[in-house]
Amino acid sequence: MFNYKIVLVGDFGVGKTSLIKRYVDNSFSDEYKSSIGVAISKKLLSTLVNDKTYDSTMMIWDIEGKTDFKPILSHYLSGAKGFIIVADLTRENTINSIKEHIELCEKTASNLPICIAFNKSDLVDDEIELESFRNLSSNVIALFKTSAKDDNGVSELFEILNNEIIKRL
Ligand code: GDP
């Protein structure tokens, strides 16, 4: 059994905790949390690569509260095998901070896979062009529109990152 850590990174309120809850418990809540700390959720996974099955435990780190406390944040990122950067489609400033979050992740570890989730897709109608965000870094392996509320794109998001991490073992 291979245990590895991933971290969700993004501005406050973009839906990091909600995405994890949806993926791990298949639930959603409208509650807003405000504590500062770290919550670790576990997901058992079985991954097929080249006809071989790999069992693993994904340890999903969620940094609660005000993530703009940078010195602490980089400490939480260390030891991760991959990152999910989350933005909120209803708040442009959270999309503008994606670049900064990528740089922070890459400072901790220079060539780990990164997925970007554009969350709260249930709240927006207009199509946003995602492909351009791929140019932000060669480590970006996938871009997803997600809704933790409607369960859209969530398992795909975590699973593509898992597959990439297992492939790189
Ligand atoms: P975090 O600070 O990034 O962990 O964000 P939370 O997961 O606590 O979510 C912040 C708020 O956005 C909460 O009120 C959630 O219910 C709400 N939220 C999260 N994801 C979605 C989503 O996909 N759609 C909608 N409509 N609301 C969401």
Side-chain angles (χ1 to χ4, degrees), residues 70-87:
K70 298 268 164 54
I72 283 192
L73 185 55
S74 61
H75 176 73
Y76 282 135
L77 299 181
S78 78
K81 291 278 184 269
F83 304 105
I84 293 177
I85 293 173
V86 186

Side-chain angles (χ1 to χ4, degrees), residues 80-83 102-114 137-141 161 164-165 168:
K81 291 278 184 269
F83 304 105
I102 291 178
E103 284 165 4
L104 193 71
C105 292
E106 290 179 338
K107 224 160 67 181
T108 317
S110 56
N111 50 14
L112 294 175
I114 297 172
S137 161
S138 56
N139 293 318
V140 173
I141 59 156
L161 185 61
E164 187 64 27
I165 290 168
R168 292 186 188 191

Side-chain angles (χ1 to χ4, degrees), residues 21-141:
K21 259 201 194 150
R22 171 59 72 197
Y23 184 54
V24 174
D25 306 330
N26 199 20
S27 68
F28 180 80
S29 138
D30 282 318
E31 263 172 55
Y32 218 87
K33 60 173 193 317
S34 60
S35 60
I36 293 179
V38 58
I40 303 171
S41 309
K42 287 186 201 174
K43 180 86 175 176
L44 297 177
L45 291 160
S46 222
T47 314
L48 192 66
V49 181
N50 296 332
D51 292 335
K52 221 183 138 194
T53 305
Y54 295 84
D55 291 321
S56 59
T57 307
M58 180 189 261
M59 314 285 290
I60 308 170
W61 285 51
D62 179 20
I63 298 145
E64 299 178 336
K66 304 231 178 286
T67 56
D68 46 319
F69 196 57
K70 298 268 164 54
I72 283 192
L73 185 55
S74 61
H75 176 73
Y76 282 135
L77 299 181
S78 78
K81 291 278 184 269
F83 304 105
I84 293 177
I85 293 173
V86 186
D88 177 343
L89 282 169
T90 68
R91 287 185 293 145
E92 205 180 340
N93 60 316
T94 70
I95 297 175
N96 294 335
S97 8
I98 291 174
K99 191 172 190 294
E100 199 188 325
H101 293 307
I102 291 178
E103 284 165 4
L104 193 71
C105 292
E106 290 179 338
K107 224 160 67 181
T108 317
S110 56
N111 50 14
L112 294 175
I114 297 172
C115 289
I116 307 178
F118 296 83
N119 192 40
K120 307 195 188 180
S121 62
D122 56 288
L123 296 176
V124 291
D125 287 331
D126 20 314
E127 284 298 311
I128 161 176
E129 176 51 57
L130 300 190
E131 277 309 307
S132 61
F133 291 90
R134 209 178 272 278
N135 302 331
L136 288 177
S137 161
S138 56
N139 293 318
V140 173
I141 59 156

